[in-house]
Amino acid sequence: MNLTIKEIAILFEQEEIKAETAISGVEFDSRNITPGGLFVPLAGERDGHDFVTAAKENGAIATFWSQDIKKAPQDMIVIFVEDVLGAFQALAQYYLQKVRPKVAAITGSNGKTTTKDMTAAVMATQFKTYKTQGNYNNNIGMPYTILHMPVDCEVLVLEMGMDHAGELTELSLLAQPDAAAITIIGEAHIENLGSREGIAIAKMEITAGLKRDGLLVIPADEPLLTPLVTDLPQKITTFGLNDGNLTATITAEDKTKTTFLIDEIEYTIPVIGGYNVNNALIAYALGKYFGVSLANIKKGLAEFQLTKNRTEWLTAKNGAQILSDVYNANPTAMGLVLDTVANLKTEGRKLAVLADMLELGPDSADMHGSMANHIDDRFNVIFLYGNEMKALFNALTQKDSQLMVYHFDKENKKELIKMIQAELKPKDTIVLKGSNGMGLTEVVAALI
């Protein structure tokens, strides 16, 4: 990065610091500091100031400091700030304005990461592109992403997450995107936001910093968004498989790819599911808006790499096929995945491992039970894990079905794994879906 100690000090009104030394990078984890780096002592389970010495030992030459000036280290450059997180964000905004890439921002109840990956792949065919790494999509992760983009970055693709009202406003005002997209309005974090209407309003906060002449891409089949965009000055593009300014027709689908038409031109994405075609439509719209050619959009979509644990195909130790989608879950996303697997042509049986969907509020039991609408005799065995999944167990066992259904409490993960391993046959296909907090990654690891 092309930031010096002196210009950072000037940003925080400490002109007495004259060091022209360029910093090698910015880190808030002392273990990740490289020689010549700036340490950001954020408050977490422990105060980051406790790790300033460790950061210096790992090569940090400067640190932010918000505690008693008398306790500041004497053997490294100290930049005094009132609020470390605020300073971190201000530095990110300064660096963003210095590099001046075009910015695409993506939010939504699910599909954010996949859409980010698709969009970045499309942009990278024509521009020097950087994207949010992993799930660094909050008020700490997003400034971290910005501060790690290369100095020659031309397009920055930012994933923006939230679980409370006001958070997207903060992120959008920091990033000042040229274009933004909302993937879907689901039920994620409904416990905090009260209703799907509340979620829609919170997602629209992504427009807080959106440039007035920018673009907003939204799903055509979401009536909750319609009244929220009528008075916006930005250009609005709607997308969907059946309706919208931008539509697609699926022509072929198997477990490793989906083919579809946009304006009679064929595109392929290396992932399963009609819901992923909707994500591809967003990447298409953003790419076209940024000037990417149709040939390069086609290339980027065909070659994009999916972030780990998002609809990821793996092979079990005994040869069974695993569809791992265990990073997060809400009823909309779980229903879409179950529908997709139900329609999939497979050689052997179909099994599912479904874990609790968290933060659904007082209607959680009903939302879990409603997943029974997505499970029929195209599945053979269902494993349910967690206290909330008891509602789905009750709904499924009341059905007149040949389906085998098992329920395990949260403390019985080892028993769950043993039973799956005993039941899973070499030609089976098994899908796993649940909130990240339920730890289904351990189940996936045990199977492979």
Side-chain angles (χ1 to χ4, degrees), residues 325-331 334 338 352-360 364 367-368 371 375 382-390 392 406-410 413 416 420 431-441 443:
D325 195 0
V326 299
Y327 178 73
N328 225 329
N330 59 59
M334 186 172 284
L338 288 169
V353 182
L354 307 176
D356 285 355
M357 299 175 282
L358 306 178
E359 297 183 2
L360 295 184
S364 179
M367 291 183 184
H368 280 81
M371 293 300 98
I375 298 170
I382 305 292
F383 298 94
L384 304 174
Y385 173 58
N387 301 333
E388 297 297 316
M389 275 297 169
K390 187 70 176 178
L392 180 54
Y406 304 96
H407 178 262
F408 296 82
D409 293 329
K410 188 173 182 181
K413 185 180 288 183
L416 168 69
I420 297 170
V431 58
L432 298 95
K433 182 74 174 172
S435 285
N436 191 39
M438 297 302 293
L440 286 185
T441 50
V443 181

Side-chain angles (χ1 to χ4, degrees), residues 65-99:
W65 189 269
S66 66
Q67 292 188 348
D68 186 347
I69 190 172
K70 296 177 181 178
K71 296 181 180 179
Q74 302 298 310
D75 50 358
M76 63 190 304
I77 297 169
V78 177
I79 299 171
F80 295 99
V81 297
E82 289 187 11
D83 171 41
V84 174
L85 177 58
F88 185 45
Q89 294 168 341
L91 181 60
Q93 191 165 51
Y94 174 82
Y95 185 60
L96 183 64
Q97 292 167 352
K98 186 172 184 178
V99 177

Side-chain angles (χ1 to χ4, degrees), residues 97-261:
Q97 292 167 352
K98 186 172 184 178
V99 177
R100 301 186 68 80
K102 293 289 186 181
V103 178
I106 296 162
T107 193
S109 295
N110 48 275
K112 294 185 295 295
T113 302
T114 301
T115 305
K116 169 205 71 181
D117 292 337
M118 289 181 176
T119 302
V122 165
M123 300 297 186
T125 61
Q126 217 162 292
F127 303 106
K128 293 177 180 177
T129 302
Y130 191 70
K131 67 178 181 179
T132 301
Q133 302 297 300
N135 65 331
Y136 272 44
N137 62 11
N138 62 7
N139 64 343
I140 294 174
M142 200 186 79
Y144 185 88
T145 296
I146 292 170
L147 287 164
H148 282 73
M149 70 175 165
V151 296
D152 59 353
C153 179
E154 296 174 301
V155 174
L156 179 64
V157 182
L158 294 174
E159 177 182 334
M160 295 186 180
M162 50 78 70
D163 56 22
H164 286 82
E167 290 176 314
L168 278 182
T169 294
E170 180 182 358
L171 298 182
S172 182
L173 289 173
L174 194 163
Q176 299 283 308
D178 298 273
I182 299 173
T183 60
I184 196 171
I185 303 299
E187 304 84 3
H189 312 302
I190 199 167
E191 184 176 41
N192 301 327
L193 295 162
S195 64
R196 289 188 71 250
E197 290 83 357
I199 293 170
I201 292 169
K203 296 300 183 187
M204 280 296 296
E205 291 178 19
I206 199 170
T207 64
L210 180 63
K211 291 186 172 61
R212 288 183 62 83
D213 60 349
L215 171 71
L216 177 65
V217 184
I218 60 172
D221 62 354
E222 184 45 80
L224 292 175
L225 291 174
T226 303
L228 302 178
V229 302
T230 53
D231 295 327
L232 289 179
Q234 292 90 357
K235 179 183 177 182
I236 309 297
T237 291
T238 60
F239 67 91
L241 293 179
N242 301 308
D243 192 19
N245 307 131
L246 183 60
T247 62
T249 303
I250 297 174
T251 56
E253 184 177 7
D254 61 34
K255 76 170 194 175
T256 59
K257 65 181 183 298
T258 306
T259 302
F260 55 96
L261 299 176

Side-chain angles (χ1 to χ4, degrees), residues 388-406:
E388 297 297 316
M389 275 297 169
K390 187 70 176 178
L392 180 54
F393 177 79
N394 293 336
L396 290 175
T397 52
Q398 290 170 13
K399 279 189 171 185
D400 182 16
S401 171
Q402 300 299 310
L403 193 65
M404 291 189 291
V405 186
Y406 304 96

